[in-house]
Amino acid sequence: MSEFEPKVVAFLCRWCASAGADLAGTSRLPYPPNAIPIRVNCSGRVEPQWVVEALKAGADGVLIGGCHPGDCHYVAGNYKTRRRVYLLRKVLAELGIESERVRLEWISATEGARFAQVMAEFVAALKRLGPLHGNGGAR
Amino acid sequence: MRAKLAVYWTGSCGGCDVSFLELGPGLLDVLSQVEIVFWPALVDAKRQDLERLPPRSIDITLVNGVLRTEENAEMVALLREKSRFLGAYGACAHLGGVPALANQGNGILEAVFGPGFRPAPPFPEAPEDTPPDLLPEALPLDEVVPVDFVVPGCPPPAGLIARFFEAALSGGLQPGQVFAEEKALCEECPRVREERRISRVLRPHEVLPDPEKCLLDQGMVCLGPVTRGGCEASCPKAGMPCTGCLGPTPKAGDPALALLSALASLVRAGEEGEAAFPEENRILDGLVDPIGTLYKYAFAKYGRPLRRLARRREEVRA
Amino acid sequence: MRRITIDPITRLEGHGKILIYLDEEGKLRDAILQVPELRGFEAFVRGRRAEEMPQITERICGVCPEAHHLASAKALDAAFGAEVPQPARLQRELFYNAYIFSDHLLHLVFLGGPDLLLPEDVGKAERNVLGVLQRFPELGRQVLEVRAQAQRILALIGGKAIHPVFALPGGVARPLPKEAQTEIAAIAARLVELGKTMIGVFHEEILPRPEYQSLLLAEEAWLPTHYMGLVDGSLAPNFYDGQVRVVSAQGEELFRLPGDQALGRIGEHWEPWTYVKFPYLRDFGWQGLRAGPDSGIYRVGPLARLNAAERMATPLAQEEYERFLDFFGEKPVHATFAYHWARLIEMVQAAETVALLAKDPALTGTEVRGKLGKPGEGVGVVEAARGTLFHHYVLSPEGLVERANLIVATTHNAPGIGLSVKEMARALVEKGKLDEALLNRVEMAFRAYDPCLACATHFLPGGVPVAVEVYDAHGNLLRRLEG
Ligand code: SF4
Ligand code: SF4
Ligand code: SF4
Ligand code: FES
């Protein structure tokens, strides 16, 4: 059996995290290619329903990347998202889903290395948790 | 010709069955316009009698209750075949209802009877008299058969029952109809909502709410913003938050996630910023038992898919 | 072994089945009541918010949600060590009596009514509430109207009539508006009026009939058990509050205790062939499913309450109670069919109590929440229409449910119902022919208890959907009789 490769859906704010991811790419920083990136205008636009849809549809983990505190282009989108994720993780835990599968990170446009590191950590953590969908990830 | 009507319950509390009486003397008008062909409670309708009916010979069937046993599932499949229109009546059939909160945990038999209980027949010679097996999960009606329309509520309020019969008896039943508003309950709630910032999440017994102001504004978890209107906001009018029995509006989708999102937007601990995070978390921790609170009636429909994923993994590990 | 099934009868906390077994000689081997359904409330309420319990547990039964709602609230009062302020208590008590009235009325007219009000020769097709409405159009319409008004009281106080939302630990959700009190007081007078009318109808149309009298005195419907009911300080029945009094089959007081202590005197026995538990009095132990003075089996509900009490709490009810005792000439009254009469007496007490409480100026008082202490353990007990109802919770320090155990009215009565059915079955088998009249008696023995959810089920045309199937020793269907 091949090693389990977690599927990650990453909702990335176009002003910061998404740009950070691009930078990681153009700088040829090595990071695991497990993420399907989805660019959003602001992390504050990410609805909990999208996160859950992603998990239901086959993702083993969901990453939300937003601007650092104080840097959100819409002033407080990232704060709202932080609170949402806090509650969402509680709900997931109650359902028996490890809350670590949903991760919120602040990543600025200049932090290509940080993006690479976050991805590496997240994928490693998901490998430890194992597949969410119970078929060993052999899809 | 009088419309042929069937009513059946599965795992129900009976509240849906008695709710027809809330029409008061108006019930007599309804009764004069229908012919009851199957209603185990009312006429001696055994399963064989139902089996003998030609397909689609019942005009309208209303099913109330959650699907809890193997037999429930078989019966609704049979009813589906015999009915032109089949509707989910009440929150249990519509969304799973309160008894579907059982899907969150396991071990119902053990918990009720203590470890060691196993159903068995009264006499070994009568194995067919063993109590029937429970389904692994409590399910809403549309998980087992296609559902044409919904009369929502726990139980449906008299106004919506009347609205349903009006449509049904004039031949105006449309597939996909839900006999409640598309708009949120807040629209019909007399309380004044200002979408205030919330600095604490309050449980109903912790405070006597202001009689005029929105309960959510006062920090109570009221599902009004994500729930369909149609009950005239009975609960908020009586001083209690809406718990969502009419089901989510089409816009809200998953009611728990929609409300969670709204709540996160409202909670504040003074000036926003990193310094406020710990205090914000503390406020959000005031939302205890989020499953029972936000999915009270809708767990089977919305929370169960993820719960099922988790459970499968628990089983694999065990 | 031959097997007779009565399935579906009607639901008891779910779907109910009666199974009758005959041996090779055709003698009764056993007759049992099986509850083939389980929703597991005790299990899934764990971890829920305590204050939600009145609204969660009422979904056990939509016919008597009011009883669960308040038993639950009282368990929470105790668990939080709260005193309920007078206005809140009055709201609850008035609400509760309106519920008893409404529920008893439902049974008397919609369920028992067809059996009691219609002559015996009326065919099955008309033996239903429509038949009653045809024969007594005036009374029928009055009943539908007044019941709707009693339900209106429930909605005014409870927020909703079915599955109310108003009770909280230590009190109720909000002060009652003044207009609500005015409306309630006006309705209350109509409840009492209807109570009087019903007593009149009972004495003119029902009691004088010989077939009804023979039913009341029928040997196979005479079951000597102990009786349980809540009583107030003067030993009159109280539906909402009081002490649990148990009198023996011979009429002696066995104990009179507050709910939490009374609960300790009840044991629960289970059998693998049913999902319902069998409660019994620990003092006697589980002696198997049989009645008598040395068995632990007791009954609850209207008849049990009248047996457990010494008087009624209100004047009209007391008058009727005396007539009731005169008729039977002894107490306790063991006649199962006396449940109906007892129900009528209670309905009148409930109506009079509503009228009394509706006048109380404290009803609209603004102090509706008692001070709550730290959450702990508590027992709440009320008299549901069908009998004593216990809720017992253990709460966590955060006010979440850790453990819950409920004993509901129909569960207390499950052994009694089983035994009544068995006695009826014995009579049926001995007479050797399964005719419709006998069948109807099994139905009626069952219906006398007004099993929980029965109301939900047969309040419209038709009788209880009883069908009896008789099989031979090889499992072949010999006969099928439909009720
Ligand atoms: S929807 Fe509510 S009233 Fe209807 S059966 Fe379910 S719990 Fe009872
Ligand atoms: S109390 Fe509830 S239903 Fe009424 S406006 Fe506020 S949130 Fe909406
Ligand atoms: S307010 Fe909410 S919970 Fe109450 S009846 Fe209306 S929809 Fe149902
Ligand atoms: S714009 Fe980046 S998080 Fe709001």
Side-chain angles (χ1 to χ4, degrees):
Chain A
M1 199 174 82
S2 63
E3 200 202 350
F4 160 56
E5 281 302 334
K7 280 203 169 65
V8 174
V9 170
F11 294 104
L12 305 175
C13 157
R14 64 182 282 224
W15 300 101
C16 46
S18 180
D22 290 348
L23 181 63
T26 49
S27 321
R28 299 179 184 274
L29 293 173
Y31 64 89
N34 304 49
I36 302 163
I38 297 173
R39 191 198 284 182
V40 293
N41 266 338
C42 169
S43 69
R45 304 299 276 277
V46 179
E47 284 293 334
Q49 313 223 12
W50 303 355
V51 178
V52 166
E53 276 314 313
L55 293 176
K56 282 200 284 198
D60 297 291
V62 174
L63 174 71
I64 301 167
C67 306
H68 280 275
D71 293 347
C72 172
H73 269 63
Y74 306 90
V75 186
N78 51 354
Y79 300 145
K80 184 166 78 178
T81 277
R82 195 196 69 81
R83 294 188 294 264
R84 283 179 177 171
V85 169
Y86 186 79
L87 285 178
L88 178 61
R89 288 171 57 135
K90 256 173 179 276
V91 168
L92 291 178
E94 296 261 332
L95 293 173
I97 305 234
E98 301 87 348
S99 54
E100 300 92 303
R101 291 186 187 274
V102 176
R103 197 167 177 134
L104 172 66
E105 292 288 349
W106 314 132
I107 302 161
S108 80
T110 57
E111 293 178 318
R114 181 166 155 73
F115 178 81
Q117 188 199 345
V118 162
M119 275 308 296
E121 277 175 23
F122 194 24
V123 168
L126 291 173
K127 283 189 176 168
R128 276 196 302 278
L129 290 177
L132 178 59
H133 290 262
N135 59 357
R139 263 177 294 251
Chain B
M1 215 181 63
R2 301 202 286 181
K4 290 192 167 65
L5 177 74
V7 178
Y8 188 69
W9 66 55
T10 51
S12 153
C13 79
C16 278
D17 267 52
V18 249
S19 68
F20 295 98
L21 267 180
E22 299 300 298
L23 294 174
L27 180 63
L28 294 176
D29 304 336
V30 170
L31 285 179
S32 67
Q33 295 177 64
V34 297
E35 181 195 336
I36 296 168
V37 290
F38 184 73
W39 193 336
L42 310 185
V43 290
D44 179 20
K46 302 271 285 183
R47 187 169 164 165
Q48 300 95 286
D49 303 321
L50 184 64
E51 278 163 356
R52 256 180 249 128
L53 290 176
R56 294 169 63 78
S57 60
I58 305 172
D59 292 310
I60 304 159
T61 294
L62 299 172
V63 176
N64 69 75
V66 68
L67 304 181
R68 183 71 271 190
T69 64
E70 299 282 354
E71 189 219 34
N72 294 158
E74 286 165 23
M75 282 302 289
V76 298
L78 187 59
L79 280 161
R80 175 69 271 185
E81 182 202 326
K82 305 298 180 185
S83 312
R84 284 178 50 225
F85 283 97
L86 179 128
Y89 186 94
C92 291
H94 177 203
L95 304 163
V98 168
L101 284 173
N103 291 338
Q104 193 187 351
N106 277 317
I108 283 187
L109 284 181
E110 287 76 5
V112 175
F113 295 100
F117 179 85
R118 288 290 170 275
F123 294 104
E125 303 99 294
E128 64 275 40
D129 292 337
T130 306
D133 267 336
L134 303 179
L135 292 171
E137 295 177 300
L139 299 173
L141 187 58
D142 68 358
E143 287 283 327
V144 174
V145 293
V147 168
D148 300 318
F149 64 91
V150 177
V151 188
C154 182
L160 300 182
I161 302 174
R163 215 191 277 180
F164 158 73
F165 275 119
E166 235 171 71
L169 298 179
S170 64
L173 213 49
Q174 300 295 325
Q177 238 169 321
V178 178
F179 288 90
E181 308 299 334
E182 305 243 305
K183 284 190 292 197
L185 186 77
C186 293
E187 308 257 336
E188 63 191 46
C189 177
R191 291 178 175 270
V192 182
R193 182 159 183 229
E194 296 172 335
E195 307 218 13
R196 284 172 178 274
R197 294 173 171 191
I198 297 175
S199 58
R200 49 188 187 155
V201 174
L202 286 169
R203 291 161 67 179
H205 64 296
E206 293 173 334
V207 67
L208 187 63
D210 178 286
E212 317 282 338
K213 292 186 192 144
C214 166
L215 296 169
L216 192 57
D217 281 358
Q218 297 180 63
M220 287 190 190
V221 181
C222 180
L223 264 62
V226 302
T227 301
R228 286 176 183 269
C231 66
E232 293 166 34
S234 317
C235 303
K237 269 191 202 158
M240 291 291 281
C242 168
T243 54
C245 79
L246 287 173
T249 59
K251 187 164 158 257
D254 183 317
L257 300 178
L259 197 91
L260 174 163
S261 186
L263 199 61
S265 308
L266 296 172
V267 163
R268 289 291 187 291
E271 192 74 18
E272 282 188 285
E274 247 178 317
F277 291 175
E279 181 56 15
E280 285 179 359
N281 292 354
R282 211 191 50 77
I283 298 169
L284 295 171
D285 285 343
L287 175 67
V288 288
D289 183 23
I291 301 295
T293 306
L294 304 177
Y295 280 133
K296 183 171 172 186
Y297 308 92
F299 188 65
K301 184 124 204 102
Y302 293 98
R304 194 178 46 91
L306 279 187
R307 178 67 195 122
R308 179 185 272 178
L309 277 182
R311 188 176 284 174
R312 230 180 263 144
R313 296 174 55 241
E314 284 156 19
E315 281 163 14
V316 168
R317 282 188 197 154
Chain C
M1 188 177 66
R2 288 202 309 172
R3 174 172 158 269
I4 302 174
T5 59
I6 302 186
D7 172 30
I9 27 165
T10 184
R11 292 163 23 126
L12 307 144
E13 301 300 309
H15 303 243
K17 237 187 202 186
I18 291 172
L19 304 168
I20 301 171
Y21 297 93
L22 308 180
D23 63 17
E24 296 291 341
E25 283 97 62
K27 293 248 168 57
L28 187 75
R29 177 162 169 190
D30 206 352
I32 65 167
L33 171 74
Q34 180 183 72
V35 177
E37 199 204 51
L38 178 110
R39 283 174 298 157
F41 275 74
E42 277 113 329
F44 71 73
V45 297
R46 288 183 185 167
R48 307 284 168 226
R49 290 180 291 131
E51 73 277 14
E52 262 284 292
M53 289 298 275
Q55 286 194 51
I56 292 181
T57 56
E58 64 191 359
R59 266 80 189 187
I60 289 171
C61 172
V63 184
C64 57
E66 298 85 355
H68 286 285
H69 195 65
L70 290 191
S72 179
K74 287 179 69 183
L76 294 174
D77 298 341
F80 281 93
E83 250 345 292
V84 179
Q86 184 65 356
R89 189 192 153 95
L90 282 169
Q91 280 194 38
R92 287 188 188 178
E93 206 170 341
L94 194 159
F95 169 90
Y96 203 68
N97 278 279
Y99 143 70
I100 293 283
F101 175 89
S102 188
D103 197 336
H104 276 1
L105 183 62
L106 180 76
H107 189 269
L108 279 168
V109 177
F110 293 82
L111 313 177
D115 286 330
L116 303 178
L117 288 162
L118 302 175
E120 220 174 35
D121 55 2
V122 159
K124 266 286 162 194
E126 289 125 77
R127 190 179 284 278
N128 56 48
V129 68
L130 292 185
V132 174
L133 290 173
Q134 243 163 36
R135 211 178 149 87
F136 301 94
E138 189 68 16
L139 179 70
R141 186 154 279 272
Q142 200 184 341
V143 163
L144 275 173
E145 267 174 37
V146 176
R147 186 175 183 279
Q149 290 193 309
Q151 295 291 103
R152 170 77 183 148
I153 295 182
L154 299 181
L156 280 169
I157 297 177
K160 292 162 70 193
I162 305 177
H163 298 325
V165 298
F166 79 120
L168 285 169
V172 298
R174 44 111 210 218
L176 192 70
K178 290 259 188 310
E179 323 81 80
Q181 179 166 24
T182 316
E183 196 180 338
I184 291 169
I187 296 174
R190 294 203 62 188
L191 306 191
V192 178
E193 273 317 303
L194 185 68
K196 284 188 201 159
T197 308
M198 297 282 294
I199 287 182
V201 170
F202 180 73
H203 284 280
E204 280 154 34
E205 305 275 348
I206 300 170
L207 192 57
R209 293 214 313 267
E211 70 264 25
Y212 183 65
Q213 301 224 355
S214 72
L215 202 62
L216 277 177
L217 304 171
E219 203 185 316
E220 62 269 26
W222 189 87
L223 192 69
T225 61
H226 315 302
Y227 296 96
M228 178 183 285
L230 280 181
V231 293
D232 66 14
S234 66
L235 300 185
N238 190 308
F239 306 116
Y240 170 70
D241 208 3
Q243 292 203 315
V244 178
R245 188 173 195 231
V246 174
V247 299
S248 74
Q250 284 119 338
E252 298 136 16
E253 177 176 295
L254 291 173
F255 60 79
R256 176 158 35 120
L257 294 168
D260 51 345
Q261 291 171 38
L263 193 57
R265 307 287 282 263
I266 301 171
E268 288 181 322
H269 173 84
W270 53 265
E271 295 280 347
W273 44 262
T274 180
Y275 285 131
V276 78
K277 294 181 271 195
F278 293 116
Y280 59 92
L281 297 173
R282 273 190 209 277
D283 295 359
F284 297 89
W286 177 254
Q287 313 272 351
L289 254 182
R290 57 181 186 81
D294 54 346
S295 157
I297 288 175
Y298 59 95
R299 289 191 284 176
V300 300
L303 178 64
R305 284 189 287 256
L306 265 51
N307 280 332
E310 298 298 333
R311 62 186 54 75
M312 300 307 286
T314 56
L316 284 176
Q318 175 65 21
E319 249 174 58
E320 188 57 21
Y321 181 58
E322 283 163 19
R323 274 188 269 186
F324 170 84
L325 290 184
D326 280 350
F327 179 89
F328 289 100
E330 59 164 17
K331 203 172 154 248
V333 175
H334 293 304
T336 299
F337 286 108
Y339 263 96
H340 296 294
W341 194 347
R343 200 166 282 128
L344 176 64
I345 300 169
E346 289 194 334
M347 187 184 109
V348 172
Q349 173 172 319
E352 291 179 279
T353 308
V354 168
L356 200 72
L357 297 176
K359 290 200 202 96
D360 198 319
L363 182 61
T364 49
T366 52
E367 201 201 326
V368 293
R369 302 279 184 92
K371 202 173 160 321
L372 303 183
K374 287 209 167 35
E377 183 171 352
V379 172
V381 57
V382 295
E383 283 295 332
R386 295 155 197 80
T388 321
L389 169 62
F390 289 92
H391 280 215
H392 178 194
Y393 308 149
V394 178
L395 307 180
S396 74
E398 302 78 47
L400 302 179
V401 177
E402 263 174 12
R403 255 181 314 122
N405 189 31
L406 317 175
I407 308 184
V408 310
T410 300
T411 307
H412 294 288
N413 271 343
I417 296 172
L419 285 169
S420 290
V421 162
K422 190 165 168 172
E423 285 314 307
M424 277 293 169
R426 196 188 304 283
L428 187 140
V429 169
E430 271 167 18
K431 297 212 170 108
K433 60 178 180 44
L434 297 163
D435 63 14
E436 206 208 297
L438 283 173
L439 247 170
N440 192 38
R441 287 205 167 190
V442 178
E443 236 178 85
M444 286 170 70
F446 183 79
R447 192 186 286 145
Y449 291 87
D450 183 14
C452 206
L453 295 199
C455 318
T457 63
H458 51 171
F459 58 91
L460 288 174
V464 186
V466 169
V468 173
E469 293 178 347
V470 185
Y471 298 82
D472 65 14
H474 310 288
N476 301 316
L477 184 67
L478 289 181
R479 296 182 65 187
R480 179 163 193 282
L481 267 162
E482 305 195 356

